[in-house]
Amino acid sequence: MIPVALPSGGVELGAWIDEADHPIGVIALAHGAGAGHEHPFLVGAAQAWATAGFTTVRFDFPYRHSGRRMPGPAAHAIATLTAVEAFCRAAAPGIPFVAAGKSYGGRMASMAAAEGRITPDALVYLGYPLHPPGRPDNARTAHLPAVRAPQLFLAGTKDPFLQPLADLDEAVASCQRAEIVWFDGGGHSFEVAGRKLPADDVGAATATTAVPWLVERLQRPAA
């Protein structure tokens, strides 16, 4: 269990762990706003990362743990990520820690890193929600340049949260160390029109794309 201190009182969250045999990193994988740790996309991603040598920890944010459907305050999510990092580092001492998340979960991880509440060795975003669909004027990017760790944006070219795509290019250019991997024709969950693949297979394929980048960043001496 992962103990989290919230203004309303403490809560203990479950941890679902996909263990690597000889881990080269531990990844905290946060869910999106509309689904919890059990979503097949996340299950597939976690299993793929574990196979590649990264122990992966999934969890639910407090609002999901309480049975609510809408996200709670960002401060609650950030407190959760702080607790999850402590849990991961205690479970795998001396091993690099990576914060990753699908959509909302990735954005919360980026905010926690920008505020210095977590200190990951790298961050991976699976479909970063740059702005609400159709609202490019409401960008969620002001904090990204403050993130010190390397950031990898996995992004679908048909993702409605990223149109126009140049907005993500501009946001990444403003970051200290960040890169994009584009998925041609991919939507917000990396689905491609005309291709009927199970969500766990899509999650696994998406996560696998990040493995070479992760291996390079985690094995590179600190600057």
Side-chain angles (χ1 to χ4, degrees):
M1 303 295 285
I2 305 172
V4 181
L6 299 174
S8 56
V11 62
E12 290 195 338
L13 304 177
W16 290 265
I17 304 174
D18 290 270
E19 293 191 22
D21 290 336
H22 303 286
I24 58 176
V26 56
I27 300 176
L29 178 54
H31 60 77
H37 77 275
E38 75 287 353
H39 193 279
F41 180 97
L42 294 186
V43 173
Q47 292 175 347
W49 275 335
T51 299
F54 300 90
T55 290
T56 305
V57 178
R58 288 173 289 127
F59 58 95
D60 284 336
F61 286 113
Y63 76 93
R64 292 285 304 187
H65 176 77
S66 299
R68 297 192 300 273
R69 300 179 67 179
M70 296 299 294
H76 290 190
I78 291 172
T80 299
L81 287 159
T82 302
V84 169
E85 178 181 20
F87 174 87
C88 289
R89 290 195 182 278
I95 294 178
F97 169 71
V98 177
K102 177 72 180 74
S103 191
Y104 166 84
R107 183 165 72 96
M108 292 298 103
S110 71
M111 291 173 63
E115 294 179 13
R117 296 289 301 277
I118 63 173
T119 55
D121 295 280
L123 295 104
V124 178
Y125 310 121
L126 300 100
Y128 188 90
L130 199 67
H131 49 66
R135 290 290 311 279
D137 57 308
N138 189 14
R140 299 154 170 165
T141 59
H143 65 285
L144 291 176
V147 177
R148 299 183 64 182
Q151 303 174 80
L152 179 63
F153 292 77
L154 304 181
T157 60
K158 297 297 185 181
D159 187 344
F161 289 79
L162 298 179
Q163 308 302 324
L165 300 180
D167 286 356
L168 182 59
D169 287 320
E170 182 178 346
V172 167
S174 74
C175 295
Q176 298 184 41
R177 291 179 290 172
E179 299 175 40
I180 309 171
V181 172
W182 290 107
F183 290 73
D184 189 37
H188 190 54
S189 293
F190 300 91
E191 73 285 359
V192 176
R195 298 180 191 171
K196 298 293 184 182
L197 295 175
D200 56 339
D201 287 351
V202 177
T206 304
T208 298
T209 303
V211 168
W213 184 90
L214 282 168
V215 170
E216 181 181 358
R217 295 307 174 282
L218 298 187
Q219 293 182 348
R220 177 183 295 171

